[in-house]
Amino acid sequence: MQEIDFNTRIRRKAQAVNFALKRILDFQETNQELKEVLGYALNTPGKRVRAVLVLWCHELLKGQVDHNAEMASAAIELVHTYSLIHDDLPAMDDDDMRRGVPTCHRVFDEGAAILAGDALLTLAFEVLAREIDPPAMALKLIGLLAHEAGPTGMIGGQMADLRAEKTECDKKTLEYIHTNKTAKMFRCAAAMGAICGGASKKQYESLSEYGMKIGLCFQITDDILDISSSSEELGKTAGKDVVAVKCTYPAVVGMKKAQEIQKNLTEEAIAALKQFGKKADTLRQLAYSLLERTK
Ligand code: GRG
């Protein structure tokens, strides 16, 4: 049997997320215009990495994806998609392109983009509350996602990122921004998969640590690609960090050191999976593929 390459495996897994998102959207009884904006935002070709991470962490423990894991993966993708819509707004990064297509506020308008983001964020929690069984598991997932995406996570990081523009950024601020803005959503994804899979405390901690490390590496790669790649390859405007004088790893520690930190984080992520043995090979491959990604 011919072995399929890892990117194909990610894409195939992402299809399961796309189907779940489609089903969720189809059931929304809302006005046609909002449905159109939400459909546009959710159908743009995102990598679905956080959602796939939920599924693979769950599979590691349970062997097979179930309804809870599928809904948890859709929920984190809803939150992630909202964050990108808002991040692209004129008051934030003011971007025209995302995922290779015009941003939501460019296709519709700013008001529609803000509301679509709000709708996706709230819908994520409705999905968890309605679809996850038992209720105690739903409560855990809701609390975790709110915590990691909120003021002590993604929003806190985004605020610091916004304020760090055009300032002399130090390493401590840089680590705070990257950890909160990006890495905590990866930690959250791994932990959500662990919760759905009934992880022990030790398994939960290992998967959370793995998620945090690959998340931090993911953002450093993003910083590097912003400099070294093209808008066509990235599907979003390249070179923006330098123009906006953003607080990034290449800017603060230099390119060589940034690449060294990336590699170390990947090794640390892989070390965190030790207790799972060979069963965690997919997660190991994921860590390497994110280190080497080009978009
Ligand atoms: C509430 C107005 C308002 C703004 C909040 C929450 C927020 C805006 C922004 C989140 C911070 C953010 C966008 C971090 C960047 C993380 C990152 C590298 C995103 C890109 O992720 P990919 O590459 O994207 O996985 P795809 O398109 O593949 O899903």
Side-chain angles (χ1 to χ4, degrees):
M1 201 171 63
Q2 205 192 351
E3 208 173 293
I4 55 169
D5 75 85
F6 195 70
N7 286 334
T8 308
R9 280 189 66 194
I10 298 185
R11 274 201 301 277
R12 286 193 184 166
K13 208 70 196 163
Q15 273 307 321
V17 182
N18 293 338
F19 289 136
L21 291 171
K22 186 176 178 325
R23 265 183 287 130
I24 289 167
L25 189 60
D26 285 347
F27 276 107
Q28 293 310 302
E29 287 178 8
T30 181
N31 61 72
Q32 204 43 46
E33 190 185 355
L34 183 57
K35 214 158 174 170
E36 198 189 326
V37 191
L38 295 177
Y40 181 80
L42 290 175
N43 287 328
T44 51
K47 294 185 286 299
R48 314 291 195 218
V49 181
R50 297 153 191 80
V52 167
L53 183 55
V54 175
L55 298 177
W56 274 339
C57 286
H58 173 266
E59 266 180 37
L60 169 69
L61 304 171
K62 273 279 173 84
Q64 235 183 359
V65 166
D66 64 16
H67 184 69
N68 284 340
E70 203 174 80
M71 290 299 114
S73 76
I76 199 160
E77 188 61 32
L78 290 170
V79 173
H80 169 62
T81 305
Y82 123 78
S83 80
L84 299 183
I85 296 174
H86 280 193
D87 189 50
D88 291 332
L89 287 168
M92 299 277 145
D93 267 4
D94 193 10
D95 227 313
D96 294 340
M97 293 294 283
R98 170 71 69 179
R99 296 174 169 171
V101 293
T103 44
C104 221
H105 67 277
R106 287 274 168 221
V107 175
F108 302 92
D109 57 39
E110 267 184 60
I114 291 170
L115 292 174
D118 294 341
L120 294 173
L121 177 62
T122 43
L123 183 57
F125 293 101
E126 185 188 344
V127 166
L128 293 175
R130 265 185 199 231
E131 299 288 338
I132 302 290
D133 192 42
M137 185 187 280
L139 202 60
K140 265 193 198 167
L141 294 170
I142 290 167
L144 176 69
L145 183 55
H147 187 75
E148 302 284 58
T152 47
M154 185 173 68
I155 297 292
Q158 179 75 358
M159 184 75 197
D161 191 25
L162 200 62
R163 291 295 173 252
E165 275 180 28
K166 298 188 174 62
T167 64
E168 190 87 10
C169 178
D170 56 40
K171 196 146 177 269
K172 196 161 163 257
T173 310
L174 175 67
E175 274 168 13
Y176 174 86
I177 292 171
H178 282 43
T179 299
N180 285 280
K181 183 177 82 163
T182 306
K184 285 191 180 176
M185 284 293 279
F186 279 80
R187 176 172 74 178
C188 182
M192 286 175 91
I195 291 171
C196 293
S200 67
K201 190 169 179 286
K202 197 171 155 220
Q203 289 170 330
Y204 180 88
E205 280 166 5
S206 297
L207 289 174
S208 298
E209 189 185 340
Y210 163 82
M212 186 71 134
K213 302 278 183 192
I214 60 167
L216 204 44
C217 178
F218 188 90
Q219 185 57 55
I220 301 174
T221 306
D222 224 65
D223 292 352
I224 293 173
L225 289 176
D226 182 75
I227 298 169
S228 62
S229 193
S230 65
S231 302
E232 290 69 37
E233 175 74 6
L234 295 178
K236 59 182 180 181
T237 319
K240 283 199 77 176
D241 293 348
V242 177
V243 175
V245 197
K246 283 258 195 185
C247 186
T248 66
Y249 269 80
V252 175
V253 303
M255 187 59 97
K256 204 158 163 267
K257 185 76 187 161
Q259 287 165 335
E260 195 186 307
I261 298 172
Q262 263 186 312
K263 288 198 185 79
N264 291 343
L265 284 165
T266 303
E267 293 306 328
E268 285 163 22
I270 282 160
L273 298 171
K274 192 163 181 275
Q275 65 168 302
F276 299 107
K278 269 194 77 60
K279 276 169 78 180
D281 276 356
T282 298
L283 294 180
R284 290 186 186 93
Q285 276 180 280
L286 178 63
Y288 284 125
S289 88
L290 293 182
L291 174 68
E292 282 153 18
R293 74 190 174 96
T294 54
K295 61 180 184 176

